[in-house]
Amino acid sequence: MEQWQKSWSVNKYWVMAHSQQIYNKIRKLASNNEWSKEKEFNYQALLLEAAIVKPTIKTLTTAYQHVWGYFKKRATDAEKEFYLHGLAVLSPENDIMGPFLAELAMKYQVRYLLESKLLTVYLK
C-alpha cells in the first residue's frame, strides 16, 4: 500500500468528523489512483485545512455512524442502546461517542479503527 493510502486510512474518519466537503475533496483527489507530488502537497494542505475546522454535531454523527458499522452486528443490546443514546445527546463540547467507540474498537479488536486518528486520542 502506498504511503498516502496508509495516511488516508488513518485520517479518513477524522477528516469526515471535521468536514464532509474536505473529505469529498480528498476522495476526488485520490479517485484515479495516480498519486503525484502535487497531489501529496494538496492532500497535506487539505489535512491542515481540516484541522482548523471545528467538528459539528452533523459531521461527528456522520463519522460515528460509519465507525459504528464495524460493530452494529456484534454489539450487545446494552452497547446498541448506549450508541443510540450517545447519538441523541451528541455535541462537540461533550462527546461521549468517541471514547465509547474507541472502547468498542479495543473490545472487538478492530485494527483499522485502532489506528484511526479519530479514535486514537481516546486510546491513550
Side-chain angles (χ1 to χ4, degrees):
M1 183 183 295
E2 288 190 44
Q3 186 62 35
W4 76 268
Q5 290 171 315
K6 288 179 186 176
S7 174
W8 180 232
S9 71
V10 167
N11 288 297
K12 179 179 174 178
Y13 295 125
W14 176 82
V15 171
M16 187 184 288
H18 285 259
S19 169
Q20 187 66 44
Q21 292 78 17
I22 295 172
Y23 175 84
N24 290 338
K25 286 179 185 180
I26 293 173
R27 285 192 54 189
K28 186 175 180 184
L29 188 67
S31 65
N32 68 3
N33 285 333
E34 293 179 18
W35 205 247
S36 65
K37 287 183 180 183
E38 180 182 351
K39 284 188 174 189
E40 179 64 26
F41 178 82
N42 290 334
Y43 170 67
Q44 294 299 328
L46 288 167
L47 289 179
L48 290 172
E49 187 179 336
I52 61 173
V53 175
K54 184 178 179 189
T56 65
I57 293 172
K58 184 177 179 180
T59 58
L60 283 173
T61 298
T62 299
Y64 289 154
Q65 286 173 328
H66 278 80
V67 171
W68 175 251
Y70 289 85
F71 310 115
K72 67 181 180 183
K73 290 184 179 176
R74 55 183 160 178
T76 66
D77 288 342
E79 290 165 343
K80 290 175 184 175
E81 190 175 315
F82 188 89
Y83 168 75
L84 293 174
H85 168 75
L87 281 186
V89 300
L90 181 63
S91 76
E93 298 77 28
N94 185 26
D95 180 3
I96 61 171
M97 291 301 294
F100 171 66
L101 292 170
E103 283 181 31
L104 291 183
M106 286 291 292
K107 176 181 178 181
Y108 295 110
Q109 285 299 293
V110 181
R111 183 181 171 142
Y112 182 75
L113 296 178
L114 292 171
E115 296 173 354
S116 172
K117 185 174 182 177
L118 181 65
L119 300 183
T120 55
V121 297
Y122 302 111
L123 295 171
K124 297 180 180 185

PDB file of all heavy atoms in Angstrom, residues 33-59:
ATOM      1  N   ASN A  33      -6.386   6.923  -8.739  1.00  0.00           N
ATOM      2  CA  ASN A  33      -5.308   6.054  -8.259  1.00  0.00           C
ATOM      3  C   ASN A  33      -3.917   6.415  -8.776  1.00  0.00           C
ATOM      4  O   ASN A  33      -3.004   5.609  -8.698  1.00  0.00           O
ATOM      5  CB  ASN A  33      -5.598   4.577  -8.561  1.00  0.00           C
ATOM      6  CG  ASN A  33      -6.650   4.030  -7.637  1.00  0.00           C
ATOM      7  OD1 ASN A  33      -6.816   4.493  -6.527  1.00  0.00           O
ATOM      8  ND2 ASN A  33      -7.378   3.045  -8.122  1.00  0.00           N
ATOM      9  N   GLU A  34      -3.756   7.579  -9.320  1.00  0.00           N
ATOM     10  CA  GLU A  34      -2.424   8.050  -9.729  1.00  0.00           C
ATOM     11  C   GLU A  34      -2.015   9.148  -8.757  1.00  0.00           C
ATOM     12  O   GLU A  34      -2.651  10.192  -8.692  1.00  0.00           O
ATOM     13  CB  GLU A  34      -2.460   8.594 -11.163  1.00  0.00           C
ATOM     14  CG  GLU A  34      -2.723   7.519 -12.197  1.00  0.00           C
ATOM     15  CD  GLU A  34      -2.790   8.076 -13.611  1.00  0.00           C
ATOM     16  OE1 GLU A  34      -2.304   9.205 -13.840  1.00  0.00           O
ATOM     17  OE2 GLU A  34      -3.343   7.378 -14.465  1.00  0.00           O
ATOM     18  N   TRP A  35      -0.971   8.880  -8.002  1.00  0.00           N
ATOM     19  CA  TRP A  35      -0.525   9.824  -6.980  1.00  0.00           C
ATOM     20  C   TRP A  35       0.722  10.538  -7.462  1.00  0.00           C
ATOM     21  O   TRP A  35       1.560   9.936  -8.126  1.00  0.00           O
ATOM     22  CB  TRP A  35      -0.272   9.090  -5.672  1.00  0.00           C
ATOM     23  CG  TRP A  35      -0.408   9.972  -4.467  1.00  0.00           C
ATOM     24  CD1 TRP A  35       0.586  10.341  -3.622  1.00  0.00           C
ATOM     25  CD2 TRP A  35      -1.593  10.589  -3.965  1.00  0.00           C
ATOM     26  NE1 TRP A  35       0.094  11.145  -2.626  1.00  0.00           N
ATOM     27  CE2 TRP A  35      -1.245  11.319  -2.821  1.00  0.00           C
ATOM     28  CE3 TRP A  35      -2.921  10.613  -4.389  1.00  0.00           C
ATOM     29  CZ2 TRP A  35      -2.165  12.055  -2.075  1.00  0.00           C
ATOM     30  CZ3 TRP A  35      -3.841  11.336  -3.651  1.00  0.00           C
ATOM     31  CH2 TRP A  35      -3.468  12.039  -2.509  1.00  0.00           C
ATOM     32  N   SER A  36       0.839  11.813  -7.145  1.00  0.00           N
ATOM     33  CA  SER A  36       1.989  12.610  -7.558  1.00  0.00           C
ATOM     34  C   SER A  36       2.415  13.505  -6.402  1.00  0.00           C
ATOM     35  O   SER A  36       1.721  13.609  -5.391  1.00  0.00           O
ATOM     36  CB  SER A  36       1.608  13.477  -8.767  1.00  0.00           C
ATOM     37  OG  SER A  36       0.603  14.425  -8.391  1.00  0.00           O
ATOM     38  N   LYS A  37       3.542  14.164  -6.579  1.00  0.00           N
ATOM     39  CA  LYS A  37       3.995  15.106  -5.551  1.00  0.00           C
ATOM     40  C   LYS A  37       2.995  16.244  -5.387  1.00  0.00           C
ATOM     41  O   LYS A  37       2.744  16.706  -4.267  1.00  0.00           O
ATOM     42  CB  LYS A  37       5.374  15.657  -5.907  1.00  0.00           C
ATOM     43  CG  LYS A  37       6.474  14.657  -5.719  1.00  0.00           C
ATOM     44  CD  LYS A  37       7.829  15.259  -6.013  1.00  0.00           C
ATOM     45  CE  LYS A  37       8.913  14.200  -5.815  1.00  0.00           C
ATOM     46  NZ  LYS A  37      10.244  14.720  -6.021  1.00  0.00           N
ATOM     47  N   GLU A  38       2.404  16.683  -6.483  1.00  0.00           N
ATOM     48  CA  GLU A  38       1.407  17.761  -6.419  1.00  0.00           C
ATOM     49  C   GLU A  38       0.168  17.307  -5.635  1.00  0.00           C
ATOM     50  O   GLU A  38      -0.346  18.037  -4.788  1.00  0.00           O
ATOM     51  CB  GLU A  38       0.990  18.187  -7.830  1.00  0.00           C
ATOM     52  CG  GLU A  38      -0.037  19.296  -7.835  1.00  0.00           C
ATOM     53  CD  GLU A  38      -0.494  19.684  -9.236  1.00  0.00           C
ATOM     54  OE1 GLU A  38       0.102  19.226 -10.229  1.00  0.00           O
ATOM     55  OE2 GLU A  38      -1.458  20.460  -9.312  1.00  0.00           O
ATOM     56  N   LYS A  39      -0.272  16.085  -5.894  1.00  0.00           N
ATOM     57  CA  LYS A  39      -1.427  15.566  -5.154  1.00  0.00           C
ATOM     58  C   LYS A  39      -1.088  15.400  -3.677  1.00  0.00           C
ATOM     59  O   LYS A  39      -1.915  15.669  -2.814  1.00  0.00           O
ATOM     60  CB  LYS A  39      -1.905  14.245  -5.750  1.00  0.00           C
ATOM     61  CG  LYS A  39      -2.679  14.420  -7.033  1.00  0.00           C
ATOM     62  CD  LYS A  39      -3.293  13.114  -7.474  1.00  0.00           C
ATOM     63  CE  LYS A  39      -4.187  13.331  -8.680  1.00  0.00           C
ATOM     64  NZ  LYS A  39      -4.959  12.125  -9.013  1.00  0.00           N
ATOM     65  N   GLU A  40       0.122  14.953  -3.388  1.00  0.00           N
ATOM     66  CA  GLU A  40       0.548  14.817  -1.995  1.00  0.00           C
ATOM     67  C   GLU A  40       0.521  16.168  -1.291  1.00  0.00           C
ATOM     68  O   GLU A  40       0.062  16.286  -0.149  1.00  0.00           O
ATOM     69  CB  GLU A  40       1.939  14.197  -1.907  1.00  0.00           C
ATOM     70  CG  GLU A  40       2.479  14.038  -0.498  1.00  0.00           C
ATOM     71  CD  GLU A  40       1.676  13.077   0.369  1.00  0.00           C
ATOM     72  OE1 GLU A  40       1.018  12.168  -0.172  1.00  0.00           O
ATOM     73  OE2 GLU A  40       1.706  13.254   1.603  1.00  0.00           O
ATOM     74  N   PHE A  41       1.013  17.194  -1.977  1.00  0.00           N
ATOM     75  CA  PHE A  41       1.003  18.553  -1.427  1.00  0.00           C
ATOM     76  C   PHE A  41      -0.441  18.990  -1.151  1.00  0.00           C
ATOM     77  O   PHE A  41      -0.746  19.511  -0.075  1.00  0.00           O
ATOM     78  CB  PHE A  41       1.689  19.525  -2.390  1.00  0.00           C
ATOM     79  CG  PHE A  41       1.681  20.943  -1.914  1.00  0.00           C
ATOM     80  CD1 PHE A  41       2.614  21.391  -0.998  1.00  0.00           C
ATOM     81  CD2 PHE A  41       0.712  21.834  -2.370  1.00  0.00           C
ATOM     82  CE1 PHE A  41       2.592  22.709  -0.543  1.00  0.00           C
ATOM     83  CE2 PHE A  41       0.676  23.148  -1.924  1.00  0.00           C
ATOM     84  CZ  PHE A  41       1.621  23.585  -1.006  1.00  0.00           C
ATOM     85  N   ASN A  42      -1.323  18.765  -2.118  1.00  0.00           N
ATOM     86  CA  ASN A  42      -2.734  19.140  -1.948  1.00  0.00           C
ATOM     87  C   ASN A  42      -3.389  18.353  -0.819  1.00  0.00           C
ATOM     88  O   ASN A  42      -4.174  18.900  -0.041  1.00  0.00           O
ATOM     89  CB  ASN A  42      -3.498  18.938  -3.257  1.00  0.00           C
ATOM     90  CG  ASN A  42      -3.102  19.942  -4.320  1.00  0.00           C
ATOM     91  OD1 ASN A  42      -2.649  21.046  -4.012  1.00  0.00           O
ATOM     92  ND2 ASN A  42      -3.254  19.564  -5.568  1.00  0.00           N
ATOM     93  N   TYR A  43      -3.060  17.078  -0.738  1.00  0.00           N
ATOM     94  CA  TYR A  43      -3.600  16.229   0.327  1.00  0.00           C
ATOM     95  C   TYR A  43      -3.172  16.754   1.697  1.00  0.00           C
ATOM     96  O   TYR A  43      -3.999  16.913   2.604  1.00  0.00           O
ATOM     97  CB  TYR A  43      -3.120  14.788   0.119  1.00  0.00           C
ATOM     98  CG  TYR A  43      -3.396  13.861   1.275  1.00  0.00           C
ATOM     99  CD1 TYR A  43      -4.703  13.502   1.614  1.00  0.00           C
ATOM    100  CD2 TYR A  43      -2.349  13.339   2.025  1.00  0.00           C
ATOM    101  CE1 TYR A  43      -4.946  12.640   2.677  1.00  0.00           C
ATOM    102  CE2 TYR A  43      -2.598  12.469   3.075  1.00  0.00           C
ATOM    103  CZ  TYR A  43      -3.897  12.131   3.403  1.00  0.00           C
ATOM    104  OH  TYR A  43      -4.129  11.288   4.451  1.00  0.00           O
ATOM    105  N   GLN A  44      -1.887  17.042   1.865  1.00  0.00           N
ATOM    106  CA  GLN A  44      -1.382  17.568   3.137  1.00  0.00           C
ATOM    107  C   GLN A  44      -2.032  18.908   3.475  1.00  0.00           C
ATOM    108  O   GLN A  44      -2.358  19.178   4.640  1.00  0.00           O
ATOM    109  CB  GLN A  44       0.145  17.681   3.107  1.00  0.00           C
ATOM    110  CG  GLN A  44       0.860  16.346   3.019  1.00  0.00           C
ATOM    111  CD  GLN A  44       0.580  15.428   4.198  1.00  0.00           C
ATOM    112  OE1 GLN A  44       0.360  15.871   5.325  1.00  0.00           O
ATOM    113  NE2 GLN A  44       0.577  14.128   3.939  1.00  0.00           N
ATOM    114  N   ALA A  45      -2.241  19.744   2.456  1.00  0.00           N
ATOM    115  CA  ALA A  45      -2.903  21.042   2.672  1.00  0.00           C
ATOM    116  C   ALA A  45      -4.346  20.841   3.133  1.00  0.00           C
ATOM    117  O   ALA A  45      -4.831  21.557   4.017  1.00  0.00           O
ATOM    118  CB  ALA A  45      -2.855  21.883   1.397  1.00  0.00           C
ATOM    119  N   LEU A  46      -5.029  19.859   2.559  1.00  0.00           N
ATOM    120  CA  LEU A  46      -6.408  19.574   2.962  1.00  0.00           C
ATOM    121  C   LEU A  46      -6.465  19.029   4.395  1.00  0.00           C
ATOM    122  O   LEU A  46      -7.396  19.359   5.142  1.00  0.00           O
ATOM    123  CB  LEU A  46      -7.060  18.599   1.978  1.00  0.00           C
ATOM    124  CG  LEU A  46      -7.403  19.197   0.608  1.00  0.00           C
ATOM    125  CD1 LEU A  46      -7.745  18.109  -0.397  1.00  0.00           C
ATOM    126  CD2 LEU A  46      -8.542  20.214   0.735  1.00  0.00           C
ATOM    127  N   LEU A  47      -5.486  18.231   4.779  1.00  0.00           N
ATOM    128  CA  LEU A  47      -5.430  17.763   6.171  1.00  0.00           C
ATOM    129  C   LEU A  47      -5.259  18.934   7.129  1.00  0.00           C
ATOM    130  O   LEU A  47      -5.904  18.992   8.191  1.00  0.00           O
ATOM    131  CB  LEU A  47      -4.297  16.757   6.372  1.00  0.00           C
ATOM    132  CG  LEU A  47      -4.466  15.378   5.740  1.00  0.00           C
ATOM    133  CD1 LEU A  47      -3.237  14.516   6.029  1.00  0.00           C
ATOM    134  CD2 LEU A  47      -5.731  14.692   6.229  1.00  0.00           C
ATOM    135  N   LEU A  48      -4.396  19.871   6.763  1.00  0.00           N
ATOM    136  CA  LEU A  48      -4.204  21.062   7.599  1.00  0.00           C
ATOM    137  C   LEU A  48      -5.478  21.894   7.665  1.00  0.00           C
ATOM    138  O   LEU A  48      -5.833  22.430   8.724  1.00  0.00           O
ATOM    139  CB  LEU A  48      -3.035  21.903   7.068  1.00  0.00           C
ATOM    140  CG  LEU A  48      -1.648  21.290   7.234  1.00  0.00           C
ATOM    141  CD1 LEU A  48      -0.605  22.130   6.501  1.00  0.00           C
ATOM    142  CD2 LEU A  48      -1.286  21.153   8.703  1.00  0.00           C
ATOM    143  N   GLU A  49      -6.161  21.994   6.539  1.00  0.00           N
ATOM    144  CA  GLU A  49      -7.421  22.733   6.493  1.00  0.00           C
ATOM    145  C   GLU A  49      -8.460  22.061   7.403  1.00  0.00           C
ATOM    146  O   GLU A  49      -9.176  22.734   8.149  1.00  0.00           O
ATOM    147  CB  GLU A  49      -7.926  22.787   5.048  1.00  0.00           C
ATOM    148  CG  GLU A  49      -9.133  23.667   4.839  1.00  0.00           C
ATOM    149  CD  GLU A  49      -9.572  23.709   3.385  1.00  0.00           C
ATOM    150  OE1 GLU A  49      -8.761  23.463   2.474  1.00  0.00           O
ATOM    151  OE2 GLU A  49     -10.774  23.995   3.167  1.00  0.00           O
ATOM    152  N   ALA A  50      -8.519  20.750   7.353  1.00  0.00           N
ATOM    153  CA  ALA A  50      -9.474  20.019   8.201  1.00  0.00           C
ATOM    154  C   ALA A  50      -9.185  20.240   9.681  1.00  0.00           C
ATOM    155  O   ALA A  50     -10.113  20.316  10.493  1.00  0.00           O
ATOM    156  CB  ALA A  50      -9.435  18.528   7.870  1.00  0.00           C
ATOM    157  N   ALA A  51      -7.923  20.351  10.011  1.00  0.00           N
ATOM    158  CA  ALA A  51      -7.531  20.516  11.416  1.00  0.00           C
ATOM    159  C   ALA A  51      -8.059  21.813  12.025  1.00  0.00           C
ATOM    160  O   ALA A  51      -8.255  21.880  13.246  1.00  0.00           O
ATOM    161  CB  ALA A  51      -6.017  20.454  11.551  1.00  0.00           C
ATOM    162  N   ILE A  52      -8.304  22.805  11.200  1.00  0.00           N
ATOM    163  CA  ILE A  52      -8.795  24.076  11.749  1.00  0.00           C
ATOM    164  C   ILE A  52     -10.318  24.193  11.707  1.00  0.00           C
ATOM    165  O   ILE A  52     -10.872  25.147  12.235  1.00  0.00           O
ATOM    166  CB  ILE A  52      -8.134  25.299  11.060  1.00  0.00           C
ATOM    167  CG1 ILE A  52      -8.432  25.328   9.575  1.00  0.00           C
ATOM    168  CG2 ILE A  52      -6.648  25.326  11.323  1.00  0.00           C
ATOM    169  CD1 ILE A  52      -7.964  26.589   8.866  1.00  0.00           C
ATOM    170  N   VAL A  53     -10.969  23.214  11.106  1.00  0.00           N
ATOM    171  CA  VAL A  53     -12.432  23.212  11.066  1.00  0.00           C
ATOM    172  C   VAL A  53     -12.943  22.467  12.299  1.00  0.00           C
ATOM    173  O   VAL A  53     -12.558  21.331  12.552  1.00  0.00           O
ATOM    174  CB  VAL A  53     -12.950  22.519   9.777  1.00  0.00           C
ATOM    175  CG1 VAL A  53     -14.466  22.420   9.800  1.00  0.00           C
ATOM    176  CG2 VAL A  53     -12.468  23.248   8.540  1.00  0.00           C
ATOM    177  N   LYS A  54     -13.803  23.121  13.051  1.00  0.00           N
ATOM    178  CA  LYS A  54     -14.352  22.511  14.259  1.00  0.00           C
ATOM    179  C   LYS A  54     -15.462  21.525  13.882  1.00  0.00           C
ATOM    180  O   LYS A  54     -16.349  21.850  13.090  1.00  0.00           O
ATOM    181  CB  LYS A  54     -14.914  23.597  15.173  1.00  0.00           C
ATOM    182  CG  LYS A  54     -15.404  23.071  16.483  1.00  0.00           C
ATOM    183  CD  LYS A  54     -15.905  24.178  17.387  1.00  0.00           C
ATOM    184  CE  LYS A  54     -16.412  23.526  18.669  1.00  0.00           C
ATOM    185  NZ  LYS A  54     -17.103  24.468  19.516  1.00  0.00           N
ATOM    186  N   PRO A  55     -15.404  20.317  14.430  1.00  0.00           N
ATOM    187  CA  PRO A  55     -16.483  19.356  14.163  1.00  0.00           C
ATOM    188  C   PRO A  55     -17.834  19.907  14.617  1.00  0.00           C
ATOM    189  O   PRO A  55     -17.918  20.683  15.571  1.00  0.00           O
ATOM    190  CB  PRO A  55     -16.094  18.142  15.003  1.00  0.00           C
ATOM    191  CG  PRO A  55     -14.625  18.254  15.196  1.00  0.00           C
ATOM    192  CD  PRO A  55     -14.356  19.725  15.273  1.00  0.00           C
ATOM    193  N   THR A  56     -18.864  19.483  13.916  1.00  0.00           N
ATOM    194  CA  THR A  56     -20.234  19.853  14.278  1.00  0.00           C
ATOM    195  C   THR A  56     -20.982  18.585  14.688  1.00  0.00           C
ATOM    196  O   THR A  56     -20.475  17.473  14.505  1.00  0.00           O
ATOM    197  CB  THR A  56     -20.964  20.492  13.081  1.00  0.00           C
ATOM    198  OG1 THR A  56     -21.100  19.498  12.045  1.00  0.00           O
ATOM    199  CG2 THR A  56     -20.212  21.707  12.542  1.00  0.00           C
ATOM    200  N   ILE A  57     -22.167  18.744  15.207  1.00  0.00           N
ATOM    201  CA  ILE A  57     -22.981  17.574  15.539  1.00  0.00           C
ATOM    202  C   ILE A  57     -23.183  16.730  14.288  1.00  0.00           C
ATOM    203  O   ILE A  57     -23.061  15.502  14.329  1.00  0.00           O
ATOM    204  CB  ILE A  57     -24.330  17.993  16.152  1.00  0.00           C
ATOM    205  CG1 ILE A  57     -24.108  18.634  17.520  1.00  0.00           C
ATOM    206  CG2 ILE A  57     -25.273  16.803  16.260  1.00  0.00           C
ATOM    207  CD1 ILE A  57     -25.354  19.261  18.129  1.00  0.00           C
ATOM    208  N   LYS A  58     -23.465  17.387  13.177  1.00  0.00           N
ATOM    209  CA  LYS A  58     -23.730  16.666  11.925  1.00  0.00           C
ATOM    210  C   LYS A  58     -22.500  15.895  11.443  1.00  0.00           C
ATOM    211  O   LYS A  58     -22.603  14.716  11.084  1.00  0.00           O
ATOM    212  CB  LYS A  58     -24.200  17.643  10.846  1.00  0.00           C
ATOM    213  CG  LYS A  58     -24.578  16.985   9.549  1.00  0.00           C
ATOM    214  CD  LYS A  58     -25.109  17.990   8.539  1.00  0.00           C
ATOM    215  CE  LYS A  58     -25.455  17.289   7.237  1.00  0.00           C
ATOM    216  NZ  LYS A  58     -25.960  18.223   6.241  1.00  0.00           N
ATOM    217  N   THR A  59     -21.329  16.532  11.433  1.00  0.00           N
ATOM    218  CA  THR A  59     -20.134  15.844  10.931  1.00  0.00           C
ATOM    219  C   THR A  59     -19.699  14.722  11.868  1.00  0.00           C
ATOM    220  O   THR A  59     -19.281  13.660  11.414  1.00  0.00           O
ATOM    221  CB  THR A  59     -18.964  16.827  10.684  1.00  0.00           C
ATOM    222  OG1 THR A  59     -18.643  17.517  11.900  1.00  0.00           O
ATOM    223  CG2 THR A  59     -19.298  17.831   9.589  1.00  0.00           C
TER     224      THR A  59
END
